[in-house]
Amino acid sequence: MPIGSLKTLLDRPEPALCGWSSLADPVVHEILLRSFDALILDGQHGLQDMADLREGCTRAALLGKPSILRVAPGDLALAGRMADLGASAVILPMVDSASEAEAFAKALRYMPGGTRSFGPTRAADLFGLTPRDYFAAADEAVLSFAMIETAGAIADLDAILAVPELGGVFLGPSDLSIAIGNGALDPKGTATDAAVADVARRARAAGKAVAIYALDADDARRYAGMGCQLIGISSDVAILKAGCERLNTEFRR
């Protein structure tokens, strides 16, 4: 898999649809990878440990698809480690300011422009590169996505988008709805949609990639119409629950 395969996906005219994984089972990861353009591993709310995240990155690379990993808020050390394990991009939740976005983006770049320590043994192997060749390509190929989901991020959006090292933004409609709606959870609401569309428009104008989480296919289509280029849809847990419910309903009917 080329190290820049995620950027190739983002350059397509149609949006990339990504499987979202909260489960640790590598077979589940394979199923998602065979169905979608890329795999997003949820290291914030998911059930994976470090070994599971490593194996998710490995399965993605061996199947020729990018892996994208969401770390916990503020966990810059894990962000760099996930890049070392072969992640094509890292998502940082709850970014609240340009200074936080800059620190995060630099954590995925080597010195002198960043703070990432050199040690990509696994990543270099997965991309079929020597460590030296990986080093030469990684700063431009491994993307940083700052999650826009707080009132602070909305207020500081122009400054966040002006961070040169930042690869893009990732919109979290649930937390965003809480932030702009005085504590009300309304990810599908009109105010949330308006905020998503505004962030997407401004990010695209600033030359940043725009990614988002969608609860279902209707949300994904709507967000694609707003200019979102990369869409994480549903989750392995939600898909499993929905499939079980559908089969039960069909049988009992």
Side-chain angles (χ1 to χ4, degrees):
M1 179 182 68
I3 189 172
S5 60
L6 181 57
K7 280 198 165 184
T8 300
L9 275 181
L10 292 169
D11 287 339
R12 300 187 319 184
E14 70 274 14
L17 199 62
C18 303
W20 188 284
S21 178
S22 295
L23 297 176
D25 194 324
V27 176
V28 172
H29 297 163
E30 286 187 11
I31 292 170
L32 293 173
L33 284 160
R34 294 185 191 281
S35 300
F36 297 104
D37 295 312
L39 176 66
I40 299 176
L41 297 158
D42 189 359
Q44 180 187 15
H45 296 302
L47 306 177
Q48 306 104 328
D49 61 19
M50 178 64 68
D52 303 321
L53 298 174
R54 180 198 67 207
E55 288 307 305
C57 292
T58 298
R59 300 267 171 167
L62 295 179
L63 288 172
K65 302 283 182 74
S67 60
I68 302 163
L69 195 128
R70 180 165 73 167
V71 299
D75 198 341
L76 303 189
L78 184 58
R81 190 167 185 189
M82 287 302 102
D84 286 343
L85 293 180
S88 295
V90 179
I91 304 165
L92 187 71
M94 295 291 178
V95 172
D96 206 44
S97 66
S99 60
E100 291 181 7
E102 181 179 17
F104 164 53
K106 288 187 173 183
L108 294 180
R109 290 185 170 231
Y110 291 116
M111 296 180 286
T115 59
R116 181 180 174 187
S117 176
F118 181 73
T121 304
R122 185 59 176 156
D125 285 345
L126 289 175
F127 289 114
L129 300 171
T130 66
R132 185 177 294 276
D133 287 340
Y134 176 88
F135 172 77
D139 276 3
E140 294 301 319
V142 179
L143 300 182
S144 51
F145 285 96
M147 287 199 77
I148 304 300
E149 53 186 351
T150 69
I154 294 295
D156 210 23
L157 182 61
D158 288 336
I160 290 172
L161 294 174
V163 173
E165 299 87 359
L166 188 67
V169 296
F170 196 106
L171 284 144
S174 291
D175 279 314
L176 180 60
S177 72
I178 296 170
I180 66 174
N182 295 317
L185 177 63
D186 190 17
K188 294 176 178 281
T190 55
T192 308
D193 272 3
V196 167
D198 181 58
V199 172
R201 176 186 59 79
R202 291 161 67 184
R204 293 294 296 269
K208 301 299 186 184
V210 183
I212 194 168
Y213 173 77
L215 286 166
D216 51 40
D218 287 339
D219 283 355
R221 281 191 292 268
R222 194 169 69 256
Y223 297 147
M226 297 176 188
C228 295
Q229 301 158 275
L230 186 145
I231 302 170
I233 187 167
S234 189
S235 71
D236 43 16
V237 173
I239 291 168
L240 183 58
K241 286 180 178 179
C244 292
E245 182 178 350
R246 186 182 68 253
L247 288 172
N248 267 294
T249 300
E250 291 174 354
F251 170 74
R252 300 185 190 287
R253 187 172 59 220

